[in-house]
Each structure stands twice: as structure tokens, then as C-alpha cells.
Amino acid sequence: MGSLQLKSVRKSFGNVDVIKGIDLDVKDGEFVIFVGPSGCGKSTLLRIIAGLEDATSGSITIDGAEVVTVPPAKRGIAMVFQSYALYPHLTVKDNMGLGLKQAGAPKEEIEKRVAKASAMLSLEKYLSRRPAELSGGQRQRVAIGRAIVREPKLFLFDEPLSNLDAALRVNTRLEIARLHRDLKATMIYVTHDQVEAMTLADKIVVLDAGVIQQVGSPMELYNKPANLFVAGFIGSPAMNFIEASRVGVADAKTIGVRPEHLALSRDGGEWQGKVVHVEHLGADTIVYIESEKVGLFTVRLFGEHHYAVDDVVYATPAAGQTHRFDADGRAIR
Amino acid sequence: MSKARASLTRTSLVHLALISYAIISVFPVFLTLINSMKDRNAIFRNPMQLPSPKTFDLVGYYTVLGQGDFATYFQNSFIVTVAAIALVLLFGAMAAFALSEYRFRGNTLMGLYLAIGIMIPIRLGTVAILQGMVATGLVNTLTALILVYTAQGIPLAVFILSEFMRTVSDDLKNAGRIDGLSEYSIFFRLVLPLVRPAMATVAVFTMIPIWNDLWFPLILAPSEATKTVTLGSQIFIGQFVTNWNAVLAALSLAIFPVLVLYLVFSRQLIRGITSGAVK
Ligand SMILES: Nc1ncnc2c1ncn2[C@@H]1O[C@H](COP(=O)(O)OP(=O)(O)O)[C@@H](O)[C@H]1O
Ligand SMILES: [Mg+2]
């Protein structure tokens, strides 16, 4: 239980095409993340899966059953929203239980499931409070609890962490990862943050402008990006792109090297340049270098390194770690 | 605290302006009230004077209450006003929800059509309305008044409420849909409670013109059994002699029911007016 297929799903608002033909297979128990820049149609796609928005064309099947004409409540899904979307006039307990109550579940069953979910999320103390009396992190946990109580085939998360502060975001991320392990449920999670995507996903779907750019495991996307967009989007700091002609590579238009795959030396190497800025992050040192040969590029060094602005340095790409792209931006393998 | 002290002059100026406005607004009411308790001579000789033991006279109130039918008039006014407010709020809110929530062909056009009613006075259609009421046998019934006032109040209600409903979070409504709430439950249980301040605002703006109206009661329901307070008070205003004691007493009495209704809504209303400021 809990598989999902999308077949050439399209969505237009008026004459603006937002989703331009999405095909996707999600297996039971998978944690799939849609990642992409703001406005690329991630939320719209999620809302189409939930049934909150009608697809203009295409088919959606959950567990092998076509659901295009099925209302959201009957699709066996639960959704967690960025803005929490808790019912302001209901207590935490009633917020979590409303879906089951509407579905006509017996009272004891609701009690039992709410108790279980609130224990999982350490919400027992707050069951009789209203959303206004909770902190942001607690509200988001209630929203997650409300989804768990429904025991859905498919969990849908729409940027659930983006309203939380940094520390809470890490905690809640861990909590969601733990939930996925415990519940073994299928989860679809939308974010614009590639770190969230890399840390949580079994499978990442990179979207841009309503089109899937690449589907793969986090390491596949990192090691074998299919095109320039994915190469630049996954990884931080972003990959360095250099015109192939400037470094004498004939069979490609652009080459890409990740900042962590460049070695730096004061004595000699392939690309000579001058340091323009240095960022010390403790575990990492990020060095920005302006080079006559290849332009501005970034180097990520592990640990502390003492380079100063205007130092002359040499960078050398690690063997086998350069990516080549053709004139259309596709990776050459 | 230092910030508050720095703007002391500003605060006092603002308060001065507000206090003068309040005095100007309340003064006619005050005048009506004090003169309703004076004898006829005192009303004309010293209209500004408070009632003294010598001039104190409740003859106006005796006349009005002794008229016998005044209780009925009050009841009619009350029924018409409350029923019209209820219908305006119900239908206005439902229309506003549909306009703000659903994308359908002609949505904008429909919104404009409903808003035009704010600009065109309903009284222009009096003759047609009267003909309609005659044809349906509704002349001299409270139903006629309730229907007309509902129609009169809906445009403004739709206009104000649809703006407010647009501000209700889509996520909240979608959460309700996923939890299996029907569109009606979403409207009544999620959206209406959140726009309550706006509803109160609409209620007050709808109520006052209805309570004070003389035109439609006079034309559509002038019978003794369906007279409203405003129409009922007219019997004391004659072409040649006007019983000022009675008129003033009737007006003073007519203030109280509106005051009660206003107090019921006012807590919500103030929240409605200041909701932008505090949130
Ligand atoms: N109801 C709507 N009407 C018109 N355009 C919309 C609507 N909802 C979303 N869009 C447009 O669709 C695009 C994708 O939106 P969305 O799915 O919210 O992006 P994301 O979640 O990836 O940031 C945006 O350009 C947005 O303006
Ligand atoms: Mg979004």
C-alpha cells in the first residue's frame, strides 16, 4: 500500500502552463522529495496529488486506483502545510481527531490513535490547548500529528520546516526522518532547500519550470547530474562552471567542477589566480578566486586554512571529478 | 515609556479631535433626550436647558405609550431589522465565499454586478417593487420590508465580506477538505468564525439605515399592524400642529433598541476596525 503513479500530468492556470507533463513512479514506503526553486510548480504538483487542484490533463493513480475524480478526503492521503493550517477554534486533540471524526470512526479508535500520535511527537502535555497557545515548533508537530492520526497511504508535506528557526528545523528534520523509519509510510515532501532534500530523501525529483530535470538518489544527483540545472542546484557552494574552450577541452561546451574537488596550493597547479574573498566556517574554508584563465571560481577546503585576499594561488581539479556538458546543457558521459 | 512621553502633544491633539467629534455626534441625541423630558413651553423657550423640577414633564412619553400601538410598532421594527440583518449576513457571506473561493467563468463579472448595487439606490425601483409586492400579495406585510431590506443590504455585505474572506488562509480550507469537511462545513465552521469581526461591521452598517427608514414602510406596509417605529412617530407630526413632546419621546425610545443591538455587535466591531492594526 502507498504507491503513486503520475502520467503526463499537466496543469495550466488560464494560458500559463505551470506543470508541463510530469511522469513519476513512487514505490511503497519511499521518501520522495520534490526540490526546485520557488515558483517552479512544486506546491501545485503536490496539491494535484492531494486532489485540492484539478490537473488539466494526465492520470494519477494511488495504489493502482485512478484517483482523478476522487475527493481529497477519500484519497487516503494526509497533508502537512507550511503554515501549519491548524483549526484555530479546536484543541490540539480535536485538531488531530477531526479527520477521523468526519470519517465516522468510533470514539475509542480516535482516542487511541490520537494518544499514539501524540506520544510519538511528545505532545501529550498540550492536548487540551488551542493552537494559539503553542509555539511554532509545537504547532508544526501538531500538524504532523494530525497527518499521522489519519494513517494515510501517502503523506504529503509542503515545505513543513520553512517557518521554523534554524535549530528547530534540524530537530524537526530528524523527527520526520525517524517517523519515516517507524511508520514505513510513503512520503512526498516538497522543499526548495537542497540540504533538506539531500538529508531526507530516498529519491529526489528536481523540478524546474514545471518540468522534471532529473530523478535519482541524493548521491546519483550529486555524482552524476544530468544537466547544468541539476549540477548547479545540488551541492553547496554551487558547482563551478567554466567554458570548455578556456581550459582546452574540445568535446564539450561547459565543464563543471565542485568546489570540494579542487586542490589549492601556493606553489603550482593548473589554474593560477588571486584570492578575492575567504570565508572561515570552522570545519570548512571557502576561498573565492579570480583567475585570468577561467574567471571567478570557488574552492572548498576542509578544516582551517590561512589564505589572505590577494594571495596568488594555484587550483587543480581532482582527477575524474570534472563534469562535461554539451551545448544544450546536457551532461556528456 | 520615553517614547510615549515624547509624543504627548500628539496624543493630546488626537484625543482633542476625537473628543470634539464625539461631542458633535452625541449632541443631537443628547438634545433629543433632554427635551423629551420637558414641557412644551420649555422646549421652545430654552431648548438647551436641562430639565429642571419646574419644566420636567413626561407628557410626551405618556402620549406615546398611551397610544397603545407603540409596542407593536417597536416589535415590527425589531422583527424587520433582525430578520433583514440575519438574511443579509447569511446570503452576503455565502455569495462572498463563492466569489472569493471558487474560480468559475464570470466570477469577476458577477462580483462587479453585485457591487453595482452599492452605487444604485434601491429607491429608484420603488414603483416596480410596489407593483411586484401587489402582484404577490405582500403589501402590508413585514415580509415585504424584510425582502426589500435584504436586497438593499446584500451588495455592501458581499463587497466587504469577500475582501475579508480572501484573507482566510487557503491552507486552512485545504486542511479541512483533506479532513473530509464539506464545503458547507468549511464555510460555516472554519471561515465564518474567522471573519466574525467583518460580519459585525456589516451588521451595524446594515442595521442603521433599516431601523431609520421611513420610505419603504410608508409605501409597502403602512397598515396599523405593520407600522414601524419611524412610521408610527409620524402621526405626531402634522401639517399644522406637531406634538413635539411626543415626537421627541418616540425618537428617544427608538434609540434604545438600536443601542442594544449595537452593543451586541460592538465588541466584534471594534475588533473588526482595529484588526489590521493589531495583527
Ligand atoms: N491559483 C493560481 N492561479 C494562477 N497561478 C498560480 C496559482 N497557483 C500557483 N500559480 C502559479 O504557478 C506557479 C507555481 O506555483 P507553486 O506551485 O506555488 O510554486 P512553488 O511551490 O514551487 O514555489 C507560480 O508561478 C504561481 O504564480
Ligand atoms: Mg510552494
Side-chain angles (χ1 to χ4, degrees):
Chain A
M1 54 156 269
S3 67
L4 167 78
Q5 280 87 38
L6 303 182
K7 283 209 190 75
S8 47
V9 171
R10 288 169 189 279
K11 172 75 189 174
S12 325
F13 290 110
N15 46 16
V16 183
D17 295 333
V18 175
I19 303 288
K20 300 168 189 161
I22 298 273
D23 294 286
L24 186 70
D25 241 311
V26 176
K27 287 197 267 302
D28 183 26
E30 248 180 342
F31 199 134
V32 175
I33 293 196
F34 295 168
V35 67
S38 253
C40 70
K42 307 178 297 286
S43 301
T44 307
L45 187 56
L46 202 67
R47 287 209 304 274
I48 290 173
I49 296 171
L52 298 168
E53 198 89 70
D54 291 328
T56 308
S57 67
S59 100
I60 304 156
T61 34
I62 296 179
D63 266 354
E66 175 70 45
V67 293
V68 167
T69 54
V70 179
K74 302 257 162 65
R75 289 192 180 193
I77 52 138
M79 189 154 170
V80 178
F81 297 89
Q82 179 178 352
S83 60
Y84 319 133
L86 300 177
Y87 309 119
H89 58 296
L90 296 182
T91 61
V92 167
K93 190 171 158 190
D94 293 340
N95 259 285
M96 295 212 260
L98 185 70
L100 288 183
K101 199 170 138 206
Q102 288 299 122
K107 228 174 167 169
E108 313 81 68
E109 174 72 11
I110 301 179
E111 290 276 336
K112 209 179 80 197
R113 290 213 218 163
V114 169
K116 194 173 143 211
S118 51
M120 277 173 123
L121 296 161
S122 354
L123 284 169
E124 294 104 327
K125 273 187 290 186
Y126 311 111
L127 282 180
S128 55
R129 293 209 198 163
R130 294 189 188 228
E133 302 159 335
L134 298 175
S135 73
Q138 289 163 345
R139 282 181 213 176
Q140 192 54 287
R141 291 220 300 281
V142 175
I144 295 172
R146 182 170 66 182
I148 294 175
V149 165
R150 292 173 57 86
E151 297 185 356
K153 297 178 198 163
L154 205 57
F155 279 89
L156 306 175
F157 294 89
D158 191 357
E159 309 217 10
L161 306 185
S162 51
N163 280 355
L164 303 179
D165 61 51
L168 213 50
R169 203 176 295 176
V170 174
N171 283 337
T172 316
R173 200 168 78 199
L174 289 175
E175 202 145 5
I176 292 176
R178 188 172 54 78
L179 271 179
H180 179 240
R181 274 197 306 277
D182 294 351
L183 298 172
K184 300 186 175 57
T186 316
M187 296 188 173
I188 297 183
Y189 185 111
V190 161
T191 177
H192 63 265
D193 179 354
Q194 50 116 353
V195 176
E196 260 170 52
M198 298 294 275
T199 50
L200 285 171
D202 293 326
K203 184 154 105 185
I204 298 180
V205 177
V206 183
L207 287 169
D208 186 37
V211 178
I212 293 185
Q213 300 291 330
Q214 190 174 2
V215 180
S217 71
M219 283 309 112
E220 272 166 25
L221 299 192
Y222 180 82
N223 291 322
K224 294 196 176 110
N227 53 38
L228 280 176
F229 179 82
V230 177
F233 193 80
I234 301 289
S236 163
M239 187 183 278
N240 297 300
F241 294 120
I242 295 149
E243 259 180 66
S245 56
R246 294 176 90 162
V247 290
V249 176
D251 58 348
K253 176 79 171 33
T254 313
I255 67 159
V257 189
R258 295 203 180 274
E260 51 271 37
H261 295 150
L262 284 166
L264 211 55
S265 145
R266 293 181 195 275
D267 309 323
E270 284 191 24
W271 307 339
Q272 190 209 34
K274 244 187 199 171
V275 175
V276 291
H277 184 66
V278 185
E279 289 169 354
H280 298 282
L281 301 176
D284 293 331
T285 307
I286 316 283
V287 188
Y288 297 84
I289 297 163
E290 179 70 49
S291 146
E292 254 175 46
K293 189 170 172 192
V294 298
L296 182 72
F297 64 96
T298 318
V299 177
R300 177 179 178 193
L301 303 170
F302 298 96
E304 273 184 69
H305 294 266
H306 297 281
Y307 288 98
V309 172
D310 284 344
D311 282 0
V312 175
V313 292
Y314 299 86
T316 311
Q321 298 285 15
T322 50
H323 303 263
R324 292 176 303 148
F325 301 94
D326 66 17
D328 298 328
R330 280 191 298 264
I332 304 170
R333 295 251 152 68
Chain B
M1 282 319 276
S2 67
K3 203 170 157 200
R5 220 175 297 132
S7 59
L8 194 64
T9 19
R10 240 187 89 178
T11 327
S12 29
L13 280 179
V14 168
H15 277 85
L16 201 70
L18 289 176
I19 289 168
S20 1
Y21 183 72
I23 289 175
I24 293 171
S25 312
V26 171
F27 192 67
V29 178
F30 175 70
L31 217 56
T32 308
L33 278 177
I34 56 169
N35 282 307
S36 71
M37 288 183 264
K38 296 198 296 203
D39 62 36
R40 192 178 164 78
N41 283 340
I43 294 176
F44 283 100
R45 225 170 278 142
N46 282 313
M48 298 296 185
Q49 207 168 49
L50 288 175
S52 68
K54 244 176 76 191
T55 58
F56 183 77
D57 194 346
L58 290 179
V59 65
Y61 289 91
Y62 290 130
T63 320
V64 171
L65 297 175
Q67 192 73 20
D69 290 333
F70 245 78
T72 321
Y73 301 165
F74 266 107
Q75 197 187 331
N76 289 340
S77 274
F78 210 78
I79 291 173
V80 168
T81 309
V82 169
I85 291 177
L87 292 177
V88 165
L89 288 182
L90 179 69
F91 294 132
M94 288 173 109
F97 183 69
L99 286 175
S100 63
E101 180 65 14
Y102 304 120
R103 286 192 297 270
F104 54 89
R105 198 182 293 273
N107 181 317
T108 321
L109 216 64
M110 185 67 111
L112 274 178
Y113 171 70
L114 286 172
I116 284 174
I118 300 173
M119 289 165 263
I120 299 177
I122 194 169
R123 289 176 191 193
L124 288 182
T126 304
V127 173
I129 290 173
L130 182 57
Q131 283 170 343
M133 293 300 174
V134 170
T136 45
L138 287 175
V139 172
N140 280 330
T141 62
L142 296 180
T143 317
L145 292 178
I146 292 171
L147 287 177
V148 169
Y149 291 141
T150 305
Q152 174 186 312
I154 279 179
L156 189 68
V158 172
F159 189 70
I160 295 179
L161 291 176
S162 59
E163 278 314 306
F164 270 79
M165 286 191 187
R166 266 183 253 279
T167 65
V168 175
S169 135
D170 282 336
D171 284 355
L172 186 66
K173 289 175 274 191
N174 285 338
R177 289 190 182 110
I178 288 177
D179 273 342
L181 297 181
S182 66
E183 293 298 310
Y184 282 99
S185 314
I186 289 173
F187 172 69
F188 283 112
R189 286 167 59 186
L190 298 183
V191 176
L192 278 195
L194 290 176
V195 297
R196 224 168 47 200
M199 303 274 284
T201 313
V202 170
V204 169
F205 282 126
T206 313
M207 168 180 87
I208 292 165
I210 297 178
W211 184 269
N212 289 340
D213 192 35
L214 178 60
W215 182 265
F216 284 112
L218 188 61
I219 293 167
L220 297 179
S223 78
E224 195 55 29
T226 55
K227 265 186 189 158
T228 61
V229 174
T230 342
L231 183 56
S233 314
Q234 300 304 311
I235 52 166
F236 304 115
I237 301 181
Q239 193 175 358
F240 306 107
V241 270
T242 294
N243 186 344
W244 284 107
N245 294 76
V247 171
L248 291 172
L251 289 179
S252 303
L253 287 174
I255 291 170
F256 285 99
V258 224
L259 209 62
V260 171
L261 281 182
Y262 178 79
L263 287 177
V264 170
F265 294 127
S266 67
R267 258 183 55 130
Q268 306 289 337
L269 175 70
I270 288 162
R271 271 178 45 197
I273 291 172
T274 57
S275 66
V278 295
K279 223 196 136 197

